[in-house]
Amino acid sequence: MSDAITGRRRVPRPENDPNLTYAPGTPARAELKARLATMASETVDIPIVIGGKEIRNSDAQPVVMPHKHGHVLGQFHQATPAQVRQAVDAAMAARKEWSGWSFEDRAAVFLRAAELLTTTWRSTIVAATMLGQSKTAYQAEIDAASELVDFWRFNVAFAQELISEQPDSTHAVWNQMEYRPLEGFVYAISPFNFTAIGGNLAGAPALMGNTVVWKPAGTAMLSAYYVMKLLEAAGLPPGVINFVPGNPVEISDVLLDHPDLAGIHFTGSTAVFNGMWQRVGQNMGKYRGYPRLVGETGGKDFIVVHPSADPQEVAVAAVRGAFEFQGQKCSAASRMYVPRSRWNDIRDRMVAMMKDIKMGDVRDFRNFMGAVIDKKSFTKVSGYIDDAKKNAKVIQGGGCNGDEGYFIEPTLVESADPSYRLLCEEVFGPVLSVFVYDDAKWSEMLQIVDRTSPYALTGAVFAYDRAAVIEASSALKNAAGNFYINDKPTGAVVGQQPFGGARASGTNDKAGSKMNLARWVSMRTIKETFAPATDYKYPFMLEE
Ligand code: NAD
């Protein structure tokens, strides 16, 4: 029995990491600009890291800036199937020691990582996220610095809360709950759009004593690599997290078929997660246990506006919620329902703001938007815009230019058909589609919002009529895992708005919460009897 079950030594109370503003004249801005300049002048050779050893193969892939795709920031090496198997072996070997460490010792590694990230590593991770994923300084700051710091610090506190939960005992019997890591390895697969998610998908199971094979997204490799280096600098032992870039299908073929697969920690698109789930289903009988499947997937996030809403508040929330980070947040507003009586006013305010938005290289801090992540995404989103030009009305934006960087203007589309595909499908770009409804049909509208898409990630209602808020909250109970009242549907903060959705948006295990951490442990109940029975007969059997 390890002292992992005790949880007696109190960990520091977490507080949300304050965002730096990077306003002109601040030292943080000067440091970030300097880091951007050096990083843009280097080419980084990103290895596979297995059991703490860096491995380089011959078929490296380039890492480029989405806003200037001719600029190569580095290259990453791709793991072969044999190396993926070695990564599992390294994880299984490291598991023996790591799972035996006390919770507090594992926690110390992540607390140190958080402290390094908020201080000496901050500008590196923020700059890598800006250059590699085309986030503005502020968008990179709230993701790669603050959110990742929060994940690591809050998870430690949540984990302690979890493992401190112990059953009742009596004077004769002592009951204990041991929070064991899963028996096997965890496969963490991260998306391109949040640096913090990669650090959490790999970090949360590791904190709970598991060892991990981490496959980062090919289009977020620079920041993922620096996160890996930071964890090493914080004292993460070799083999606890194995960094395995490469072809996702080849890597998954090896890992999903492996008998020691104990869990999948995934964030990305619904189709990819569904494919993994199916593969695991087909493989049942091959595994040692039932793999835990945790996945946060796509969204078709809504804003529903009631006639009692404030038009300026709605317009600002829609512009920020739909277009920040080019609409590439799983939570980005991408469909909006507006009463006819308010539409012209809200539309005009939005159009004025959209005309004012600057888009371009994120190293120019005046820009509000950068480029979409890659050519595939550019082609997909511009295809949706072409469709809107033919089958709906493009009110503002609609321009796409991929010559130098993958730029797509913030685009506002109006459709008279609530089942039009841009109101139903996940676009994952800076496109907000609007349906204008008759004011008298508010209740009917809520039913349409609920039925329109298979997803249920985030959604917002704007209304100052409390009865309307109550009605929307009830009618849309299952339409969003994160529901906002008079706020944009993006920007969840760890510890404040635990994040995740249901229906086709995922398993809703709420990243950065006690619920999520509970998925990475398999509990053992221990009953100890101090004076065991010495007679097999029970008292009721005695003679009168
Ligand atoms: P994606 O599904 O294309 O990729 C996610 C990860 O899966 C990447 O590491 C990728 O390499 C890997 N992958 C791709 N194809 C695979 C396959 N066939 N087998 C195994 N792995 C495979 O997603 P993305 O474009 O990186 O990210 C955007 C998606 O992620 C959107 O759908 C967005 O809504 C979703 N997302 C959801 C949340 C959430 O919390 N719900 C958060 C962020 C992103």
Side-chain angles (χ1 to χ4, degrees):
M1 205 192 313
S2 86
D3 60 347
I5 62 168
T6 62
R8 302 305 299 170
R9 288 182 276 164
R10 295 211 21 201
V11 299
R13 189 192 302 273
E15 278 173 22
N16 289 114
D17 185 59
N19 307 143
L20 300 182
T21 64
Y22 300 106
T26 56
R29 184 183 177 105
E31 186 186 329
L32 180 58
K33 288 225 164 187
R35 193 69 188 94
L36 285 165
T38 46
M39 207 175 273
S41 68
E42 329 169 315
T43 48
V44 183
D45 191 40
I46 300 173
I48 304 148
V49 184
I50 296 176
K53 292 199 177 62
E54 297 194 348
I55 299 169
R56 291 178 168 82
N57 293 332
S58 52
D59 64 337
Q61 292 291 310
V63 174
V64 301
M65 294 184 190
H67 44 270
K68 199 173 178 194
H69 45 62
H71 187 128
V72 175
L73 292 162
Q75 57 172 5
F76 68 91
H77 293 265
Q78 307 201 86
T80 62
Q83 287 164 340
V84 178
R85 279 187 282 276
Q86 283 166 19
V88 175
D89 293 344
M92 296 303 289
R95 188 183 178 281
K96 292 191 187 82
E97 190 180 329
W98 179 248
S99 64
W101 280 26
S102 73
F103 161 71
E104 289 83 355
D105 287 318
R106 293 195 305 261
V109 173
F110 287 95
L111 292 174
R112 174 164 156 75
E115 195 59 24
L116 292 179
L117 176 50
T118 197
T119 54
T120 47
W121 281 73
R122 193 177 199 107
S123 59
T124 297
I125 305 267
V126 170
T129 302
M130 291 176 70
L131 297 179
Q133 288 137 273
S134 204
K135 290 201 176 193
T136 60
Y138 185 67
Q139 290 300 313
E141 165 71 13
I142 59 175
D143 160 21
S146 295
E147 184 166 323
L148 188 48
V149 168
D150 287 352
F151 271 136
W152 286 339
R153 288 184 176 155
F154 277 81
N155 274 347
V156 163
F158 291 140
Q160 183 167 59
E161 220 178 285
L162 178 70
I163 66 178
S164 301
E165 282 176 20
Q166 293 293 323
D168 285 342
S169 296
T170 68
H171 60 87
V173 169
W174 188 7
N175 297 313
Q176 298 181 63
M177 191 64 83
E178 186 178 19
Y179 292 84
R180 303 170 302 180
L182 307 181
E183 208 181 354
F185 71 93
V186 173
Y187 179 21
I189 310 107
S190 53
F192 79 83
N193 65 338
F194 276 87
T195 303
I197 291 179
N200 183 51
L201 292 179
L207 172 67
M208 303 314 287
N210 299 279
T211 51
V212 178
V213 178
W214 174 23
K215 196 212 80 59
T219 40
M221 209 48 90
L222 190 64
S223 60
Y225 173 59
Y226 282 119
V227 169
M228 184 67 201
K229 298 293 291 172
L230 161 59
L231 284 167
E232 287 177 343
L236 191 78
V240 172
I241 295 177
N242 298 280
F243 181 79
V244 180
N247 180 308
V249 176
E250 276 182 16
I251 292 172
S252 295
D253 277 349
V254 174
L255 297 179
L256 298 181
D257 286 359
H258 201 289
D260 288 318
L261 178 75
I264 295 178
H265 204 190
F266 175 86
T267 300
S269 58
T270 302
V272 170
F273 188 54
N274 289 356
M276 294 181 139
W277 195 299
Q278 274 162 359
R279 182 72 168 256
V280 167
Q282 284 158 8
N283 280 343
M284 289 318 297
K286 241 187 211 181
Y287 304 123
R288 284 190 215 296
Y290 290 90
R292 301 274 169 93
L293 307 181
V294 176
E296 295 303 334
T297 55
K300 186 68 190 173
D301 311 296
F302 58 82
I303 293 178
V304 194
V305 183
H306 184 261
S308 65
D310 179 280
Q312 179 67 9
E313 291 171 4
V314 171
V316 169
V319 166
R320 284 185 169 176
F323 305 131
E324 277 178 328
F325 187 38
Q326 299 77 264
Q328 299 173 116
K329 300 186 185 187
C330 49
S331 54
S334 73
R335 54 185 175 127
M336 182 156 88
Y337 302 84
V338 184
R340 198 167 306 286
S341 64
R342 295 298 173 133
W343 174 227
N344 288 357
D345 188 7
I346 291 172
R347 181 197 59 204
D348 293 349
R349 290 169 194 262
M350 285 188 68
V351 167
M353 289 177 223
M354 290 168 73
K355 284 184 173 159
D356 189 51
I357 285 177
K358 290 187 177 52
M359 181 171 72
D361 191 321
V362 291
R363 287 171 292 179
D364 178 346
F365 282 23
R366 291 167 303 180
N367 288 321
F368 178 80
M369 289 172 64
V372 298
I373 193 72
D374 61 4
K375 187 162 190 196
K376 189 167 151 226
S377 167
F378 178 81
T379 307
K380 181 181 157 201
V381 180
S382 47
Y384 273 113
I385 292 175
D386 287 345
D387 192 292
K389 285 176 181 162
K390 285 185 220 121
N391 300 312
K393 195 159 104 192
V394 174
I395 292 179
Q396 175 61 31
C400 308
N401 186 334
D403 294 347
E404 225 185 290
Y406 302 113
F407 289 108
I408 296 190
E409 281 181 350
T411 301
L412 188 61
V413 171
E414 185 185 346
S415 171
D417 174 6
S419 59
Y420 174 53
R421 56 191 290 240
L422 266 79
L423 282 157
C424 306
E425 297 168 20
E426 185 179 50
V427 176
F428 225 61
V431 182
L432 177 63
S433 301
V434 178
F435 177 75
V436 180
Y437 69 90
D438 292 337
D439 291 39
K441 293 193 173 160
W442 160 252
S443 301
E444 217 174 290
M445 190 68 259
L446 295 177
Q447 297 310 316
I448 290 174
V449 175
D450 183 50
R451 286 199 305 268
T452 294
S453 123
Y455 301 107
L457 190 51
T458 75
V461 59
F462 277 78
Y464 280 114
D465 172 340
R466 196 71 205 174
V469 172
I470 294 167
E471 188 184 353
S473 179
S474 163
L476 300 171
K477 188 181 277 296
N478 296 308
N482 282 57
F483 187 67
Y484 293 80
I485 300 167
N486 293 319
D487 206 341
K488 65 182 169 59
T490 59
V493 173
V494 177
Q496 295 195 37
Q497 297 97 24
F499 191 79
R503 294 186 181 163
S505 290
T507 54
N508 201 13
D509 289 291
K510 300 292 186 203
S513 77
K514 197 162 76 168
M515 280 82 77
N516 178 285
L517 299 176
R519 302 299 308 274
W520 309 118
V521 286
S522 174
M523 296 183 287
R524 178 165 77 145
T525 305
I526 299 165
K527 175 186 177 189
E528 181 169 356
T529 299
F530 295 130
T534 50
D535 183 357
Y536 88 94
K537 285 182 181 161
Y538 291 100
F540 77 91
M541 297 163 74
L542 299 174
E543 294 292 339
E544 293 276 342

